[in-house]
Amino acid sequence: MAKSEIYEASVTWTGGHRGRLKLGNGPEMDFSAPPASHGEAGVLTPEDAFVGAVNACVMLMFIWGMERHKLDLASYECRAEGTKLIELDRTEIFSRVVLRPRIGLRAAGEDPAAVERRARRALDSARKYSLIANSIKSELIIEPEFVIA
């Protein structure tokens, strides 16, 4: 039988195009609309949070997949890019999110090609099991670079 969990967040307007976000897990931060939408620079925007959530969730699920596939992770960094489409009627949607992870792995005497194959399977699992990736309408593209030592 399926189960459910609830996550909460609260926002409070603090003036202008700015607010304060309190997340259910504890962190609090200011946020604003992006500068191009009459917001302020230097604080979290919903757009940044969206792209960041996709990136963070896929990374965490990759770590889970890496452990399942017995990989020795040396490093992981990922640049994410979200493309926002603005329609003529001014409605907006993220049409795609591209993740470009650079993944460092230790081969420890194993064939590097075999290590990369397992890493690709772990990345496929990360995409399949990522809650955030499964919850978006945007096209998700992952373009990994593997560095195996």
Side-chain angles (χ1 to χ4, degrees):
M1 183 158 126
K3 68 176 193 171
S4 63
E5 296 175 345
I6 296 173
Y7 294 84
E8 297 180 358
S10 302
V11 298
T12 304
W13 176 62
T14 59
H17 292 261
R18 192 176 181 120
R20 184 87 179 150
L21 171 66
K22 182 175 183 189
L23 302 171
N25 199 32
E28 292 186 43
M29 64 199 76
D30 293 329
F31 70 94
S32 173
S37 299
H38 308 291
E40 300 177 26
V43 295
L44 179 72
T45 69
E47 293 82 353
D48 294 329
F50 175 83
V51 174
V54 174
N55 199 359
C57 192
V58 170
M59 184 201 81
L60 291 171
M61 293 312 299
F62 176 75
I63 291 169
W64 167 79
M66 181 233 22
E67 291 168 348
R68 290 187 66 228
H69 289 279
K70 309 276 191 252
L71 293 162
D72 187 3
L73 185 64
S75 63
Y76 183 102
E77 55 187 66
C78 183
R79 186 172 164 278
E81 181 179 278
T83 301
K84 181 173 76 168
L85 178 65
I86 304 168
E87 298 288 354
L88 292 176
D89 66 356
R90 308 263 311 140
T91 57
E92 302 174 345
I93 186 171
F94 274 101
S95 58
R96 70 192 296 198
V97 176
V98 179
L99 303 180
R100 293 184 179 94
R102 187 170 200 276
I103 302 166
L105 298 160
R106 293 181 198 93
E110 191 176 347
D111 175 25
V115 171
E116 183 173 330
R117 280 193 300 276
R118 288 199 339 268
R120 287 186 183 281
R121 284 196 304 272
L123 198 53
D124 289 343
S125 293
R127 182 181 186 143
K128 178 179 180 179
Y129 292 105
S130 167
L131 165 66
I132 305 302
N134 286 331
S135 299
I136 64 173
K137 294 194 301 186
S138 310
E139 175 185 21
L140 177 59
I141 299 166
I142 303 176
E143 300 173 342
E145 175 189 348
F146 295 99
V147 178
I148 301 171

